[in-house]
Amino acid sequence: MDILTANDRPATFPDSYYASASTLPDTRPPARGALRYDVCVVGAGYTGLSTALHLAEKGYSVAVLEANRAGWGASGRNGGHVGTGQRLSQGALETLVGPSRAHALWDMGLEAVALVRHRVARHDIDCDLGDGILHACHKPSLTRQARAHADLLRDGYGYDRIEYLDRERLLEHIGSPAYHGGTLDRGGAHLQPLAYALGLARAAQEAGVHLYESSRVRTISEGDPVELVTDEARVSARFAVLALNGYHGDLIPALSRRVMPINNFVAATEPLSRSVAEGLIRHGHAVADSRFVVNYFRLSRDRRLVFGGGESYGYRFPADIGGKVRRAMIRTYPQLADTRIEYAWGGTLAITMNRLASFQALRPNVLSASGYSGHGVPTATFAGAVLADAIDGQAARFDLLSSLRIPPFPGGVTWRHPLLVLAMTWYALRDRL
């Protein structure tokens, strides 16, 4: 199945709330003819745009080849959470990679959030940037872990921007009976993701990046220079960066072994009255819960609830995305039973087996970063800085991140998806029980 065309019209943004609320730029022309650059980046999501922008600021000539539109993929469809740390908790990271590396990864996570804030401010990106993320426990037994997590960050990492909230204090923030406690991380943030992606694209072009849309890469040749072939162009470059995340297809098989695409779904309600909106989330933070199949939600500028949730085990989007998300939304907020959903859309992200992002040197002059596992807004933005530094001869952070072990999915390309379906079905059942 062609993941780029399975669910969406080519070169057309999905009918999402984000697209309706953004000023969409004119379509950029495709790459044509024989072209030569220092670096060619494949993919115009957060990773590709951030990489290109950082490289242009360092003086490199850069082309970005995007199969659809800049920000068309997961970068323009996600929940907009800008979380601190990594996708795994610090306690889990310490067990997996050891305390020293866990501390280094924590520092990188803080740098990633700071980089998002810096780009928004420096380039005047109007993307509704707000502060704070609440993590809500859907089972009483999980509140002990939440408290321990906050204590570890405070005592072991010197991070004083997170606090544990018991059920009563959490109810001061979230008007839902579904949760039993959690944490508030005031260092996290949230934003309108498509507006942020479009702002990065504008900033990259202003820095001198050549951004080509409707330019799907068909083949990448080995060698120096590397050569990338589209339907209408042949691009030679000293370096290539694959910024594909869930849309890598079979372009380079090495990516498929460790990075798997999955779908997720988001809906936006009709605009809510101020009193109803404040009854849902009282202080304007974003929320993510503790389910394995995470529910995540926040309020938009015009007081819609933007709610992500609902699992899907095929590569095709369901026929009724709004109905799928609505069921999760009503379990969280029964008071919205009569509220109309005005937008519903799906997107394809990418996960790894252990939820650590996958940084790879696929060839000496071909680098990749992907598999952000739902933590992509900050991590992908930061990946751009890491990839640009590596190309510029400062590879310490890339070397650390690429040395982290990312296990291959069991079953190979043929069986990995059915095995994932079984695992996700089990975890979804466990969430409900």
Side-chain angles (χ1 to χ4, degrees):
M1 177 178 292
D2 186 349
I3 199 70
L4 281 166
T5 60
N7 300 294
D8 298 287
R9 290 175 293 166
T12 302
F13 287 104
D15 185 22
S16 70
Y17 166 67
Y18 301 145
S20 73
S22 301
T23 301
L24 301 178
D26 293 337
T27 302
R28 300 171 177 90
R32 292 189 174 98
L35 304 170
R36 189 175 185 89
Y37 294 90
D38 293 329
V39 184
C40 184
V41 177
V42 185
Y46 300 141
T47 304
L49 294 170
S50 180
T51 302
L53 178 53
H54 278 91
L55 285 167
E57 291 172 341
K58 294 176 183 290
Y60 289 81
S61 64
V62 186
V64 177
L65 302 178
E66 166 56 45
N68 289 288
R69 302 289 309 276
W72 175 89
S75 295
R77 310 184 191 208
N78 64 82
H81 291 207
V82 189
T84 56
Q86 305 294 327
R87 177 63 175 82
L88 291 178
S89 70
Q90 285 307 119
L93 278 176
E94 288 184 357
T95 300
L96 185 65
V97 303
S100 177
R101 285 184 169 185
H103 275 77
L105 290 170
W106 171 255
D107 291 341
M108 289 183 189
L110 291 182
E111 188 178 347
V113 175
L115 180 58
V116 172
R117 293 183 183 276
H118 166 74
R119 287 302 186 192
V120 169
R122 178 175 175 179
H123 305 292
D124 194 24
I125 301 174
D126 183 13
C127 60
D128 303 341
L129 184 64
D131 291 326
I133 297 180
L134 289 153
H135 294 272
C137 300
H138 76 290
K139 294 181 180 180
S141 59
L142 297 176
T143 58
R144 182 178 299 177
Q145 296 176 24
R147 186 191 294 272
H149 176 66
D151 290 345
L152 175 63
L153 291 183
R154 183 189 64 242
D155 299 336
Y157 290 80
Y159 184 67
D160 62 0
R161 305 209 65 192
I162 191 168
E163 61 177 315
Y164 172 74
L165 306 176
D166 60 20
R167 182 182 177 89
E168 183 176 350
R169 291 192 62 205
L170 186 66
L171 284 171
E172 295 173 6
H173 293 269
I174 308 174
S176 170
Y179 302 117
H180 303 272
T183 60
L184 169 59
D185 185 353
R186 298 183 186 277
H190 52 91
L191 47 70
Q192 204 267 60
L194 178 57
Y196 175 57
L198 297 176
L200 287 180
R202 171 177 53 82
Q205 286 190 288
E206 290 173 352
V209 171
H210 290 221
L211 177 50
Y212 301 104
E213 296 182 332
S214 299
S215 298
R216 182 172 182 174
V217 174
R218 300 295 182 178
T219 62
I220 301 177
S221 68
E222 296 190 40
D224 186 6
V226 62
E227 191 169 79
L228 303 95
V229 178
T230 73
D231 292 333
E232 299 183 66
R234 188 176 297 270
V235 183
S236 296
R238 292 165 51 204
F239 294 91
V241 172
L242 302 188
L244 300 167
N245 206 33
Y247 294 95
H248 53 75
D250 59 357
L251 188 59
I252 291 187
L255 287 175
S256 301
R257 289 194 287 270
R258 289 177 169 79
V259 178
M260 181 184 294
I262 64 168
N263 297 327
N264 204 250
F265 309 102
V266 187
T269 67
E270 63 187 306
L272 306 172
S273 70
R274 187 174 301 277
S275 61
V276 170
E278 290 179 351
L280 303 178
I281 306 173
R282 294 190 178 87
H283 303 295
H285 305 310
V287 186
D289 69 20
S290 57
R291 289 175 170 83
F292 185 84
V293 183
V294 179
N295 292 325
Y296 49 92
F297 43 98
R298 60 187 181 85
L299 293 169
S300 68
R301 176 185 289 178
D302 56 351
R303 296 195 301 273
R304 301 172 188 267
L305 184 68
V306 179
F307 193 101
E311 66 275 8
S312 174
Y313 306 133
Y315 285 139
R316 294 257 183 212
F317 293 170
D320 183 11
I321 294 175
K324 176 176 283 291
V325 178
R326 184 182 188 84
R327 289 190 288 275
M329 184 182 78
I330 298 306
R331 285 196 297 268
T332 304
Y333 288 118
Q335 62 267 45
L336 296 181
D338 296 325
T339 301
R340 188 172 69 253
I341 286 179
E342 291 195 347
Y343 299 90
W345 63 96
T348 302
L349 64 150
I351 61 171
T352 64
M353 277 287 289
N354 59 10
R355 301 303 187 263
L356 292 178
S358 176
F359 287 74
Q360 298 183 61
L362 298 165
R363 299 167 189 163
N365 59 348
V366 179
L367 306 181
S368 170
S370 61
Y372 304 117
S373 303
H375 200 68
V377 182
T379 310
T381 303
F382 180 70
V386 172
L387 292 163
D389 281 350
I391 288 171
D392 198 43
Q394 305 169 57
R397 294 188 299 186
F398 180 86
D399 289 344
L400 170 60
L401 292 166
S402 63
S403 71
L404 301 175
R405 183 175 178 271
I406 309 295
F409 282 93
V413 174
T414 302
W415 290 101
R416 65 183 188 141
H417 185 256
L419 291 172
L420 177 67
V421 169
L422 289 174
M424 293 291 285
T425 303
W426 160 248
Y427 280 115
L429 178 62
R430 192 181 70 170
D431 282 345
R432 295 187 180 99
L433 294 177

